[in-house]
Amino acid sequence: MGIEKSPTGIEGLDQLTSGGLPAGRPTLICGGPGCGKTLMAMTFLVNGAVSYGENGVFVSFEERRDDLVKNVASLGYDLDQLIEDRVIALDHVRVERSEIEETGEYDLEGLFIRLGYAIDSVGAKRIVLDTIETLFGGLSNTAILRAELRRLLEWLKDRGITAIITGERGDGQLTRHGLEEYVSDCVILLDHRVQNQVSTRRLRVVKYRGSSHGTNEYPFLIDDRGLSVMPITSAGLNHGVSEERIPTGVAGLDDMLGGRGYYRGSSILVSGMAGSGKSSLAAHFADAVCRAGERCLYFAFEESPRQIVRNMRSIGLDLQPWLSRDLLRFSANRPTVYGLEMHLVQMHRLIEQFNPSAVIIDPISSLMESGVGNEIQMMLLRLIDHMKSRQITSVFTNLTHGNIELAKTDTNVSSLMDTWILLYNRASNGEHNREVYVLKSRGMEHSNQVREFVLSREGIELREAYVGPEGVVTGSARLAQEAREHAESKRRRQEAERRSVEIERKKAQLQAQIVALQAELAAEEEERHRLSAQASEAESRIEEDRDRMRHFRSGSGRVRRD
Amino acid sequence: MSAQAALPNEGSGSAVYILSLYVTGHTAKSIRAVENVRRLCEEKLVGRYKLEVIDLYQQPELAAREQLIAAPTLVKSLPLPCKRMVGDLSNRTRVLAGLGIG
């Protein structure tokens, strides 16, 4: 199981050290002046007393009691009250070089007695010695001091007390007087440096005997709510995934994403140039989330909440009801107000507080300007992991510059995203038209088509784009195309009508012909009848004539034989 | 343990010395320190010093109140300035310098 840990209660640090500082052992916290050693040590003590039932002793070699009380009040700690409640004891060890005269052999038993007395007075399990190196300034016999320091740490170990020893950063070594030599269990290095005019506090666990620990430099933050170290969650890839879909707020876009929208808990990047409709798309998503009765947290880095509400009203989207019902919450800050990690820690805190099911970061590009290099990617990764582990669907807008091809190579964040939607303005025929394209969408069927993206008073509408010989046709070219098609179809309809009339006419003609022919036929038939009647009449007349003639001849013949 | 007071006006200067020697039990260093301070006081400050020897193990709360770190420590609270002589007081020159006695 490894060694026993004593939790610090500092967000992030306990995760980083898998549970806290080594229990019953000393830990060295070192760093330059003003890097937060004292506040970190005090936080450890106060959290121990308040949250973990472990009382503590703070031995201050530098700051006087009043100053200390004042300083930690900025973290929201009422040290006076804690002292009165006898959960924390405070001892200011004043070392005044000018008062001290070394006259022979000595030891630090006086200090031991003080510590022992203070520990017993509150039943302490934790102690902070801040900064014990001050002793080297007051006493010159370093051989005695070193031996006594070693003995002191052993003595604290024997008593099972978890100790924090602070030390000033020295040249070429961790502390000025090599305290790291005595504290072999755990060493934490704090750093406070300024890069690009933004000051950043960083923490690194240099050494942790018998325990695994994160080895990177992690940014940390001191504000009115105490200390927190990024990552607040460990960056892992073992978060649960959802099959559930969540509508995008734009019917046409849902269609493009397999008809059902984004995956719940996925991360979506919407990139596009200025004015391509990124925020509008994000606002539609926010609206859809709130409409489903879920919460949405909107981080705005360029516009004020009121401005967003007003602007969205112009495209028929009223966000005010969601704000009133506290389903939608804005957090608007100028990106340059703090460093990147301050933003990220604040975002973490707001997410913890508000517990949204969707988060919008608009735009991520301006946030990125407040950080340096690949640390942005690291921190975004942690933020995304954090949101994924909480099944929060996140939409990031990203302002891209230059043309579409450049936007596509802007991959330093896109590789972290599950769905990437590209919005662009295409110039043609003297106008700019918006287009939308789903560049990728992990784990779902998605359209490979470019659609026209129309912002109207009724919101966003996606139109099927016409694909002509010169590519996709949008805007007035699309309207012209539509008009052409309309005319064409009308022409076809008229043509059909015309032909049908003609056929009708031809049919009538043919029928007339049929009638004429039949009449002719009837006439012929009649003629035939007439002719045959004439023929038979003639026949019978000839027969008659023959008979008459026969009759006539036979009469005259008898007369002549006499 | 003990306190001695005597009439002033002897040796260099006339100020009254208020001295406290803090020791930790009966270690060799403690015993040496007590012997050294007693001898010195009797030599240099006869009649105008007040010496108190305190065992911190008996009164541990005094360690913080008196701002003690090392042991043994001889604290000169008067005459001002306040001085703390740490160690077994075997370096006589240093002790005298600390006491402000030439």
Side-chain angles (χ1 to χ4, degrees):
Chain A
M1 232 343 257
I3 61 169
E4 206 186 316
K5 305 279 174 84
S6 181
T8 63
I10 295 170
E11 277 183 294
L13 186 59
D14 287 342
Q15 283 97 323
L16 200 62
T17 53
S18 348
L21 305 180
R25 291 172 168 274
T27 292
L28 175 65
I29 295 182
C30 46
C35 67
K37 299 185 292 290
T38 302
L39 292 182
M40 180 167 277
M42 186 58 92
T43 305
F44 170 74
L45 273 199
V46 172
N47 286 342
V50 172
S51 312
Y52 303 108
E54 293 193 351
N55 293 349
V57 172
F58 195 98
V59 185
S60 171
F61 290 84
E62 286 177 340
E63 285 180 278
R64 287 181 323 179
R65 181 189 159 132
D66 291 351
D67 296 333
L68 206 54
V69 168
K70 227 176 282 169
N71 290 350
V72 301
S74 67
L75 301 181
Y77 299 144
D78 186 352
L79 202 54
D80 279 331
Q81 187 61 47
L82 293 167
I83 292 167
E84 200 175 301
D85 294 344
R86 303 190 70 78
V87 292
I88 284 193
L90 185 70
D91 187 3
H92 172 223
V93 177
R94 197 164 56 86
V95 183
E96 190 59 66
R97 185 79 171 112
S98 62
E99 282 185 5
I100 295 172
E101 196 73 55
E102 286 172 62
T103 65
E105 209 182 311
Y106 59 91
D107 54 39
L108 296 187
E109 197 61 23
L111 184 62
F112 280 66
I113 289 169
R114 284 172 85 155
L115 300 190
Y117 183 74
I119 288 167
D120 293 341
S121 71
V122 294
K125 295 295 288 172
R126 301 180 177 204
I127 194 167
V128 171
L129 304 176
D130 178 49
T131 297
I132 202 163
E133 281 178 314
T134 309
L135 288 178
F136 287 91
L139 297 167
S140 60
N141 193 332
T142 51
I144 290 179
L145 281 178
R146 289 182 183 282
E148 287 293 276
L149 276 184
R150 202 179 293 276
R151 187 165 73 94
L152 180 68
L153 295 176
E154 284 303 318
W155 178 73
L156 289 173
K157 258 191 231 180
D158 287 345
R159 300 193 62 157
I161 290 173
T162 311
I164 286 182
I165 321 289
T166 64
E168 287 266 309
R169 188 80 201 258
D171 287 333
Q173 51 186 1
L174 289 175
T175 59
R176 227 180 264 167
H177 296 279
L179 287 179
E180 59 272 26
E181 224 176 280
Y182 312 110
V183 185
S184 50
D185 294 288
C186 182
V187 177
I188 293 172
L189 183 64
L190 304 184
D191 184 28
H192 191 193
R193 57 180 185 257
V194 176
Q195 256 176 319
N196 293 359
Q197 288 95 44
V198 176
S199 80
T200 309
R201 294 175 193 276
R202 290 182 175 80
L203 173 149
R204 183 159 69 95
V205 179
V206 178
K207 159 163 147 183
Y208 200 142
R209 185 176 283 178
S211 169
S212 63
H213 59 89
T215 52
N216 296 333
E217 270 196 320
Y218 299 92
F220 77 99
L221 179 77
I222 299 173
D223 67 6
D224 57 343
R225 295 187 52 208
L227 270 86
S228 23
V229 180
M230 300 287 291
I232 285 165
T233 52
S234 50
L237 281 176
N238 48 3
H239 39 73
V241 290
S242 177
E243 291 291 323
E244 199 190 328
R245 295 293 193 89
I246 178 163
T248 64
V250 178
L253 189 58
D254 288 347
D255 288 343
M256 290 178 82
L257 297 167
R260 291 152 65 206
Y262 309 126
Y263 275 122
R264 183 179 289 281
S266 66
S267 49
I268 297 108
L269 178 66
V270 178
S271 34
M273 284 164 281
S276 56
K278 299 181 296 296
S279 298
S280 305
L281 193 63
H284 272 72
F285 177 60
D287 180 64
V289 169
C290 296
R291 203 171 288 278
E294 296 180 22
R295 288 173 160 188
C296 179
L297 187 54
Y298 195 124
F299 293 98
F301 292 107
E302 282 182 351
E303 291 177 285
S304 73
R306 277 185 202 172
Q307 200 180 342
I308 293 171
V309 170
R310 182 202 66 193
N311 294 352
M312 290 308 131
R313 211 170 268 151
S314 76
I315 57 165
L317 203 61
D318 193 2
L319 298 173
Q320 192 57 48
W322 311 131
L323 282 171
S324 310
R325 284 170 59 190
D326 203 25
L327 286 171
L328 176 64
R329 196 178 283 179
F330 280 104
S331 166
N333 271 317
R334 279 282 170 207
T336 45
V337 174
Y338 333 106
L340 180 64
E341 64 292 330
M342 181 81 168
H343 279 297
L344 288 173
V345 171
Q346 284 214 327
M347 286 157 87
H348 270 282
R349 284 201 173 142
L350 268 173
I351 289 167
E352 296 294 325
Q353 252 176 38
F354 190 52
N355 198 19
S357 64
V359 166
I360 291 166
I361 293 165
D362 180 30
I364 198 170
S365 31
S366 56
L367 191 59
M368 282 156 67
E369 281 154 22
S370 59
V372 188
N374 68 336
E375 74 182 26
I376 299 152
Q377 196 176 359
M378 289 306 300
M379 296 214 254
L380 271 178
L381 188 66
R382 293 196 195 111
L383 183 68
I384 289 169
D385 278 335
H386 178 63
M387 291 199 278
K388 283 191 169 176
S389 67
R390 297 183 60 128
Q391 290 285 300
I392 296 171
T393 315
S394 48
V395 171
F396 301 82
T397 69
N398 186 26
L399 178 68
T400 55
H401 305 281
N403 61 15
I404 301 150
E405 281 62 40
L406 270 177
K408 279 178 185 165
T409 56
D410 184 19
T411 49
N412 63 338
V413 289
S414 61
S415 60
L416 310 176
M417 302 292 174
D418 298 313
T419 299
W420 188 5
I421 295 168
L422 271 181
L423 297 176
Y424 35 91
N425 282 331
R426 203 192 284 275
S428 61
N429 304 334
E431 61 186 41
H432 276 266
N433 290 300
R434 297 187 176 92
E435 293 171 18
V436 59
Y437 172 53
V438 178
L439 189 77
K440 74 166 177 185
S441 195
R442 290 175 181 153
M444 65 172 82
E445 276 182 53
H446 57 273
S447 167
N448 60 352
Q449 289 181 358
V450 174
R451 300 277 163 94
E452 188 177 356
F453 182 94
V454 182
L455 286 174
S456 69
R457 287 190 156 279
E458 282 78 45
I460 296 175
E461 198 190 326
L462 298 194
R463 301 243 175 92
E464 293 275 355
Y466 285 97
V467 184
E470 285 141 46
V472 171
V473 181
T474 53
S476 59
R478 176 178 52 78
L479 290 176
Q481 178 75 22
E482 277 176 347
R484 264 201 301 283
E485 295 234 333
H486 186 70
E488 178 71 10
S489 101
K490 192 174 171 189
R491 196 186 59 73
R492 271 201 302 273
R493 213 166 45 244
Q494 284 172 339
E495 173 73 15
E497 264 171 43
R498 191 183 59 75
R499 290 196 59 177
S500 124
V501 167
E502 196 170 321
I503 287 166
E504 205 57 45
R505 193 176 53 78
K506 212 165 189 177
K507 195 170 124 196
Q509 210 172 20
L510 283 171
Q511 263 166 350
Q513 268 177 344
I514 289 167
V515 170
L517 283 170
Q518 272 175 339
E520 203 173 333
L521 185 69
E524 291 292 329
E525 189 74 9
E526 210 172 308
E527 182 67 9
R528 192 177 59 83
H529 274 294
R530 199 173 51 82
L531 284 177
S532 87
Q534 273 178 347
S536 62
E537 196 184 332
E539 197 75 19
S540 60
R541 199 170 295 142
I542 289 165
E543 198 66 32
E544 244 174 72
D545 284 350
R546 210 175 273 147
D547 278 347
R548 213 170 36 232
M549 209 157 326
R550 205 179 299 131
H551 184 73
F552 176 73
R553 269 186 197 159
S554 63
S556 61
R558 263 172 246 158
V559 164
R560 251 175 49 194
R561 242 178 274 164
D562 62 60
Chain B
M1 282 184 194
S2 67
Q4 295 185 10
L7 290 166
N9 210 3
E10 172 85 21
S12 57
S14 59
V16 176
Y17 279 76
I18 308 290
L19 304 171
S20 314
L21 178 64
Y22 296 92
V23 295
T24 49
H26 295 281
T27 63
K29 282 193 288 270
S30 303
I31 292 162
R32 273 203 303 280
V34 174
E35 283 170 359
N36 286 335
V37 74
R38 287 230 165 103
R39 194 181 316 124
L40 201 116
C41 286
E42 281 309 305
E43 278 177 29
K44 297 282 183 183
L45 302 169
V46 177
R48 55 187 179 99
Y49 72 95
K50 202 176 155 191
L51 174 69
E52 203 181 0
V53 179
I54 299 133
D55 184 358
L56 284 176
Y57 288 144
Q58 307 301 317
Q59 292 169 275
E61 71 281 3
L62 290 182
R65 198 196 299 162
E66 299 300 324
Q67 284 296 347
L68 299 173
I69 304 159
T73 296
L74 176 68
V75 177
K76 179 196 76 165
S77 15
L78 275 176
L80 293 172
C82 177
K83 279 281 180 187
R84 289 154 197 279
M85 283 143 275
V86 304
D88 60 10
L89 309 170
S90 54
N91 186 330
R92 201 178 159 87
T93 336
R94 287 281 184 88
V95 180
L96 288 175
L99 290 173
I101 302 169

